[in-house]
């Protein structure tokens, strides 16, 4: 054989050895002492990962479970292993390497232990019959591709199973931005109760977090008002691939929400339940949170919000069509989301302070272009993983309104009814508990007051040009219970008055065509929402819930000790 042929064979042999070595990483998971071969899986046992929808979220903790499927089968032993993706080594393309599969660890150290013979694996400690077992898997960091979780199940000393679709799960990284990771739509929400939510936005955009081309004058950057709606599945305020409306264009380009609010009001009763509105912040208050509240029901169980970045061509933050009715037909308790910029598709500027360049024809809404090769862009040669969030959105369940499943809500056949439902008690004669007033429903007080509702009194100290109602009572102190004390915050609100009418106060009987508009000067100079830190004694119920503790595990390499810290939760539902 000629020298070139020998060199080729030697290179091929080295490559094969590298590949073989990598594949040899997968260990022998045969049960201890077994001399039989594994049987083909018959479907009576399955491996599942709880909480995974379209892929894993990097570094998130998941529960992996082996369980029986027929209601009667049991198994005695098991092993669960995590295997990473294979790819070429960037430093040596002829070599194949394995990416990180994350970490697995026992959930119960009495019944489960780290495997002594396989990396990234846990196995049983005793051969007692069991119908299910759970362990923890912490997903790897971003850019680690797919992870394969494999289970080996021992039914008895002669029969054991491994691999096959019921006992193998391949899960890939969810490449969407964190704010896109919304629960799947629940098209048939069966929750009878209604819910009240608080949504808060906290800005992060600053010269320190996003220094490239940040506006030179610190008093110019600001966020627009938080604007959105709680709505039905078929209503779209904005979404990727859709075209921005005139109102949305005004918001994205000029941080002016007035026209968009009008567009939302026109749909109240026709796909929209509540208009969401929170005050925007600018210089010296850029990082101050803004709050809003809204109502949901089994027809209007999604919400969408947007916050414009100013100055910018047409960039904004937000979430769209976020599902609050979970698959098990319960209301979502809590969620915090990182927000990254979107492009409304109406202006072709590339930087915060670019001159206006109208996009013609108009583009669809999409992510702001990252990894740009334009040096005038603040995202010049920047990868998504290196982009700092521009803000955070926190959604919190405040209150549940009990409704009987057989209790029908009355809906108007036209869009002239605000907040589309009216509730009645069982006898149908007297109204049940009135809905709590909310300045975010943007409705005028009707002449006929609902039973038990206090009349609106003008604050004598308010300006004649911008009259205001008196402040309402503070709501109870809300926060975690620690050492017998609730440490948190309380809030109260008041209303702008136009012609003696409280604007943005909830009333289900108002005609939207008669809605009043608050002058922008009044909105900008007179606060209608206050929030303060507070401290109060815990109630007995609160103390009982607060005593529930959660162990937060710190990931370490398999085989090493796992430590934990204790975190007090506000309620058991948050566990």
């Amino acid at each position: 054989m000629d020298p070139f042929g020998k060199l080729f064979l030697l290179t091929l042999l080295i490559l094969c050895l590298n590949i073989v070595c990598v594949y040899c990483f997968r260990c022998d998971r045969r049960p201890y002492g077994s001399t039989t071969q594994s049987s083909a899986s018959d479907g009576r046992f399955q491996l599942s990962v709880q909480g995974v929808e379209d892929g894993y979220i990097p570094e998130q903790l998941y529960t992996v479970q082996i369980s029986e499927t027929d209601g009667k089968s049991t198994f005695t032993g098991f092993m669960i292993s995590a295997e990473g993706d294979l790819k070429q080594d960037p430093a040596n393309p002829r070599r194949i390497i394995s990416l990180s599969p994350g970490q697995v660890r026992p959930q119960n150290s009495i019944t489960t232990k780290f495997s002594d013979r396989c990396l990234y694996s846990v196995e049983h400690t005793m051969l007692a019959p069991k119908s299910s077992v759970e362990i923890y898997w912490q997903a790897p960091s971003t850019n680690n591709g797919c992870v394969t979780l494999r289970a080996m199940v021992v039914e008895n000393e002669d029969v054991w199973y491994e691999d096959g679709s019921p006992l193998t799960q391949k899960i890939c990284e969810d490449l969407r931005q964190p704010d896109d990771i919304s629960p799947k739509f629940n098209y048939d929400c069966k929750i009878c109760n209604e819910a009240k939510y608080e949504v808060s936005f906290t800005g992060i955009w600053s010269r320190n977090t996003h220094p490239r081309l940040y506006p030179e004058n610190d008093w110019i950057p600001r966020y627009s008002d938080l604007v959105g709606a709680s709505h039905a599945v078929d209503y779209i305020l904005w979404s990727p691939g859709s075209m921005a409306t005139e109102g949305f264009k005004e918001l994205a380009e000029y941080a002016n929400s007035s026209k968009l609010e009008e567009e939302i009001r026109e749909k109240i009763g026709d796909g929209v339940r509540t208009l969401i509105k929170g005050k925007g912040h600018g210089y010296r208050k850029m990082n101050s949170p803004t709050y809003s509240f809204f109502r949901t029901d089994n027809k209007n169980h999604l919400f969408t919000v947007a916050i414009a970045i100013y100055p910018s061509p047409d960039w904004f933050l937000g979430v769209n069509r976020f599902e609050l009715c979970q698959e098990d037909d319960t209301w979502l308790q809590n969620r915090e989301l990182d927000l990254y910029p979107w492009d409304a598709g109406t202006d072709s500027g590339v930087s915060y302070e670019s001159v206006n360049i109208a996009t013609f024809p108009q583009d669809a809404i999409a992510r702001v272009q990252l990894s740009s090769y334009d040096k005038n862009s603040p995202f010049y040669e920047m990868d998504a993983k290196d982009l700092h969030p521009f803000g955070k959105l926190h959604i919190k369940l405040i209150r549940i309104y009990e409704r009987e499943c057989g209790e029908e809500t009355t809906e108007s056949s036209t869009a002239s009814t605000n907040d589309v439902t009216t509730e009645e008690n069982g006898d149908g004669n007297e109204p049940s508990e009135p809905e709590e007033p909310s300045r975010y429903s943007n409705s005028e007080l009707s002449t006929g007051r609902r039973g038990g509702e206090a009349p609106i009194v003008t604050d004598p100290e308010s300006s004649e040009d911008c009259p205001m109602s008196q402040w309402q009572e503070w709501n109870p102190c809300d926060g975690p219970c620690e050492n017998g004390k609730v440490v948190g915050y309380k809030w109260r609100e008041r209303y702008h008055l136009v012609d003696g009418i409280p604007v943005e106060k909830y009333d289900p009987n108002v005609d939207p065509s008669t809605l009043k508009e608050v002058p922008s000067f009044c909105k900008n100079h007179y606060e209608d929402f206050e929030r303060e830190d507070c401290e109060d004694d815990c109630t007995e119920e609160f103390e009982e819930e607060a005593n529930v503790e959660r162990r937060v595990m710190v990931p370490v390499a398999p085989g090493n000790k796992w430590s934990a810290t204790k975190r007090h939760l506000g309620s058991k539902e948050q566990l």
Side-chain angles (χ1 to χ4, degrees), residues 393-404:
L393 200 73
H394 187 200
I395 306 106
K396 178 182 178 182
L397 180 63
I398 297 295
R399 182 179 176 185
I400 296 292
Y401 296 87
E402 298 293 338
R403 300 285 183 265
E404 294 295 334

Side-chain angles (χ1 to χ4, degrees), residues 221-493:
R222 64 183 176 89
Y223 296 106
S224 75
D225 288 349
L226 169 75
V227 182
S230 61
H231 56 85
V233 173
D234 56 358
Y235 175 78
I236 298 177
L237 178 61
W238 73 269
S239 68
S242 67
M243 307 299 285
T245 63
E246 281 299 314
F248 205 89
K249 176 184 176 182
E250 290 285 319
L251 175 77
E253 292 189 15
Y254 306 107
N256 184 345
S257 64
S258 299
K259 187 174 291 187
L260 182 60
E261 292 174 40
E262 291 177 10
E263 293 176 353
I264 297 173
R265 288 194 192 102
E266 291 174 358
K267 291 294 183 179
I268 290 177
D270 185 22
V272 170
R273 167 80 191 247
T274 311
L275 169 64
I276 298 172
K277 179 71 181 296
K279 186 175 179 59
H281 292 301
Y283 183 54
R284 295 188 183 279
K285 292 186 177 182
M286 285 284 286
N287 303 123
S288 298
T290 184
Y291 299 88
S292 185
F293 300 87
F294 62 91
R295 292 282 295 269
T296 61
D297 54 54
N298 57 14
K299 290 186 175 64
N300 304 280
H301 46 87
L302 280 72
F303 86 98
T304 300
V305 294
I307 310 102
I309 301 170
Y310 185 87
S312 74
D314 56 348
W315 301 341
F316 67 97
L317 311 174
V319 295
N320 70 93
R321 312 186 78 199
F322 191 96
E323 179 64 83
L324 297 168
C325 181
Q326 301 182 105
E327 289 185 353
D328 60 352
D329 285 322
T330 60
W331 291 116
L332 180 73
Q333 293 284 329
N334 229 310
R335 189 72 176 269
E336 186 171 88
L337 305 168
D338 291 331
L339 302 185
Y340 298 85
W342 292 88
D343 188 321
T346 61
D347 191 297
S348 298
V350 296
S351 188
Y352 300 120
E353 297 180 284
S354 295
V355 298
N356 290 337
I357 308 172
T359 302
F360 184 82
Q362 181 177 329
D363 286 337
I365 295 174
R367 279 288 180 198
V368 168
Q369 183 182 358
L370 300 181
S371 303
S372 171
Y373 293 103
D374 191 331
K375 292 186 177 181
N376 294 318
S377 169
F379 312 111
Y380 174 66
E381 295 185 342
M382 180 180 291
D383 292 332
K385 61 181 174 54
D386 300 322
L387 182 62
H388 203 79
F390 276 62
K392 285 185 179 292
L393 200 73
H394 187 200
I395 306 106
K396 178 182 178 182
L397 180 63
I398 297 295
R399 182 179 176 185
I400 296 292
Y401 296 87
E402 298 293 338
R403 300 285 183 265
E404 294 295 334
C405 288
E407 182 181 357
E408 296 293 333
T409 57
T410 304
E411 294 189 12
S412 172
S413 59
T414 69
S416 63
T417 302
N418 182 36
D419 211 336
V420 298
T421 60
T422 57
E423 299 86 15
E424 296 181 354
N425 62 5
D427 58 19
N429 296 323
E430 298 179 353
S432 64
E433 177 191 355
E435 297 196 22
E436 293 189 355
S438 172
R439 69 188 182 99
Y440 307 102
S441 295
N442 280 273
S443 58
E444 170 184 299
L445 182 67
S446 62
T447 55
R449 295 189 182 278
R450 302 177 65 171
E453 185 174 311
I456 296 297
V457 179
T458 303
D459 187 345
E461 297 182 1
S462 62
S463 166
E464 292 184 3
D465 296 328
C466 297
M468 303 285 293
S469 70
Q470 291 184 333
W471 287 103
Q472 294 186 328
E473 295 295 326
W474 290 98
N475 79 310
C477 190
D478 183 22
C481 180
E482 298 178 356
N483 300 322
K485 293 288 186 180
V486 176
V487 180
Y489 64 87
K490 59 182 180 178
W491 58 267
R492 64 177 182 173
E493 56 187 347

